[in-house]
Amino acid sequence: MVSKWNESKSKEKSQQFEMDFGRAFGEMLYVTQLIGNEPDLALHGGGNTSFKSNVTTVVGETVEAIYVKASGVDMKTIDDSGFVCLDHGRLKKLSILESIDDAAMANEFKSSMLASSDKLPSIETLMHVFIDRPCIVHTHPTALLALTNRKNGAEAVADACGKNNVCFIEYASSGLSLAKSVFTALMNNANAKGILISHHGLVTWGNTAKEAYEKTIDIVDKAQQYLNAKMNMTISVSSDTDIEIARARYAAIAPMLRGLVSPKTNDQDNPYSPMILVPLISKEILGLLSHEKAKEIACSSAITPDYLVRAKSVPLFVENPDYGNIVALKETLDAALSGYSSSYESYMKKYASQIPSFHAEGLDLLPRVVLLPGMGAVCIGHDFEKACIVRDIVLQAMQTKIAIYQTNGGYAGLSEDHIFDMEFRAFQVAKVTNKESLPLRGKVAIVTGAAGAIGSGICDELLASGCHVAVTDLAGDNLNSMTRTLSGIYGNRVIGVPLDVTNKASVSSAFETVVNRFGGVDIVVVNAGLAHVAPLVDLDMEAFQRLERVNVEGTLLMLAEAGRCFRLQNMGGDIVLVSTKNVFAPGAKFGAYSATKAASHQLARIASLEFADMNVRVNMVSPDAVFSHGETKSGLWAKVGPDRMKARGLSEKGLEEYYQSRNLLKARVTARHVAKAVLFFVTHQTPTTGATIPVDGGLPDATPR
């Protein structure tokens, strides 16, 4: 490991914050971001930094302050709001205590704030307070965890880093206990450059943030060199399973697994709390899972308790999965999950008295990690970001445990009571508590024709409601541009997927792509469609057949693939067809469009009958005259608009005004209105299937009847 320090970037950051906080603030912010961008040092809110400085109050008093990284803030993306400013002098007095509970400690932190913040300081704040050094860095380096988390860890640390160069202390519970242990170790070895703590990682310090950072890099590099030298190449974790075979197995079973690991609810309209699945498939993981000691190595306790609230105390290891028999595999998974839930419930009840405020009732008993030999690790979260966090944690844990094993060591895990304490402590749980409950959180949607006006409006509304969305359309610039636009707003909950709805292989491939990304599908919006203007006597058969392929066959292929996916997943689902007022009130010269959309509409009604036993709702929305969504113009109106304008002697603006004036409410119908109708159905506000919502401002002739 080498230092990534860049003097010019550090100066730039220091100058940016010098006026408000002083130069040291900018330098520590820069160091924190440097560390956060190094996964082998810190992951997803793990680790913390601090620096001490004097601040002047509004009445002119000088107060000794400490700036500490806030709890749960990701060091990779931290900004100035990610630090909490506290009264250092006041908090130092807590060193006389023998113990303090979390509620009292949190109260002290809040009472010591010198600047308002809605964030709580790190649970390790007292450790930063008690170390009498200006700048402190605490990380969870993979290489050091491979030294400290083993039997005879003290000897390994001394051999790797030098006995007098660093201190080693055994595990202590986060908070006051760990802070006092670190303080004592430093008092006993004032010349040490750092302190290594079993299952907690590394603490370094310096007069500047740069000094503390470079000590971290130096110590981690020594540890890595030591491990490399000790690596026993005769101890192998290789696998005969090809990665492509493993990926194909995952794509085949992911929806079924997703249905099994998504917790059931007591809500009749929403019987499952859907989870997102992210696979971890690599030669390294496949090799470990095929090893004779796979379960012993992989299912030992967490490498650091900081990750327990995200990945739970242990993964589920599924023995002897039969990928060639889906029925037998489901039975195996059912039994394994049942055993896991029973064991997890017993574990919670056994230690519940440790935390007076803890209540086991209603808690999710399902795993966040499922290990399947011959396939890989499946990482589970309430959304894609959280599932990716679990994936990164699992990868670091596996790499750490493999390194211990391959350097002739034995893993030394934490005791169950310590694990429980950190998994359910209020400080830790607060890191992952969802403060914003969106109605479609954890759900996955496929929207066809998404590069057009109505499709993009539907995608926008679903994403704003917390959904993960596959933006699908014909391959090309329109799809790429729409995907970039939505990704820029909603991040990694968006995926662009090329899709030709008239091609069965393309439809199957699109579903597989979405399953590989998110684990399954909950919502399918069939929106892709074509229009054509011609009187019946002049209607070209090839033009009619082109519409029939997209509007009818495309609908059928999407319905069929959705049905297969929903049956495998067994969690219910939603299909919404974007129909048209022309189904109920066709217009002259719209024969091809009206007839093929009527057939599409009828297929959806039949699907509502056939899919009801899977608790899949199939509904329709029937819009009229949607010309655009933002800058995105309607492809349908680009096709039929010129004829309509010519027939009525109107301009483009005049045509829009004409359609607005003809409905009862004189409303301009937008893509957002259509999207709201879709949202009504997929949020299950009423127990409805086989229904149509007109979105047309009121057209009596087009009212469904």
Side-chain angles (χ1 to χ4, degrees), residues 288-289 291-300 317 319 371:
L288 173 60
L289 297 182
H291 194 274
E292 60 182 7
K293 294 186 177 180
K295 189 172 182 180
E296 175 188 334
I297 297 171
C299 294
S300 50
F317 190 95
E319 300 189 66
L371 304 176

Side-chain angles (χ1 to χ4, degrees), residues 228 233 273 291 483 685 689:
N228 291 342
M233 300 311 294
S273 176
H291 194 274
T483 302
Q685 296 185 47
T689 191

Side-chain angles (χ1 to χ4, degrees), residues 454-597:
I454 290 177
S456 62
I458 292 169
C459 289
D460 211 344
E461 197 67 31
L462 292 173
L463 286 160
S465 299
C467 200
H468 302 70
V469 174
V471 180
T472 80
D473 213 309
L474 293 174
D477 291 342
N478 289 342
L479 173 61
N480 296 339
S481 176
M482 185 56 61
T483 302
R484 283 195 301 271
T485 297
L486 293 172
S487 295
I489 302 169
Y490 300 106
N492 54 25
R493 286 190 288 115
V494 179
I495 178 176
V497 182
L499 170 60
D500 177 356
V501 297
T502 69
N503 185 295
K504 183 177 181 180
S506 179
V507 172
S508 297
S509 176
F511 271 79
E512 183 175 326
T513 298
V514 178
V515 165
N516 282 328
R517 171 75 170 214
F518 299 124
V521 179
D522 304 287
I523 299 165
V524 175
V525 181
V526 183
N527 170 65
L530 291 182
H532 182 72
V533 179
L536 296 180
V537 294
D538 297 328
L539 182 57
D540 179 71
M541 188 56 64
E542 286 189 7
F544 182 88
Q545 289 171 343
R546 186 169 63 252
L547 265 67
E548 189 275 333
R549 284 194 296 273
V550 174
N551 297 349
V552 183
E553 293 180 31
T555 297
L556 176 58
L557 289 172
M558 289 298 297
L559 290 173
E561 194 65 32
R564 285 188 283 270
C565 183
F566 289 149
R567 191 166 294 282
L568 183 61
Q569 195 166 257
N570 196 31
M571 287 200 300
D574 283 276
I575 299 171
V576 180
L577 173 75
V578 178
S579 185
T580 171
K581 74 93 187 174
N582 285 274
V583 169
F584 310 99
K589 297 186 180 181
F590 270 55
Y593 180 70
S594 299
T596 55
K597 289 297 284 187

Side-chain angles (χ1 to χ4, degrees), residues 151-197:
K151 296 167 185 176
N152 302 316
E155 289 85 344
V157 167
D159 288 346
C161 305
K163 188 173 183 179
N164 297 319
N165 199 39
V166 297
C167 304
F168 174 80
I169 59 176
E170 297 292 346
Y171 177 82
S173 183
S174 295
L176 181 64
S177 177
L178 180 60
K180 296 187 82 163
S181 296
V182 169
F183 175 77
T184 300
L186 185 54
M187 290 300 98
N188 292 335
N189 190 350
N191 295 321
K193 294 181 179 179
I195 297 175
L196 278 75
I197 313 151

Side-chain angles (χ1 to χ4, degrees), residues 268-284:
Q268 179 182 343
D269 291 317
N270 297 284
Y272 288 88
S273 176
M275 305 296 279
I276 298 298
L277 275 53
V278 172
L280 178 56
I281 300 172
S282 68
K283 278 291 184 185
E284 187 177 39

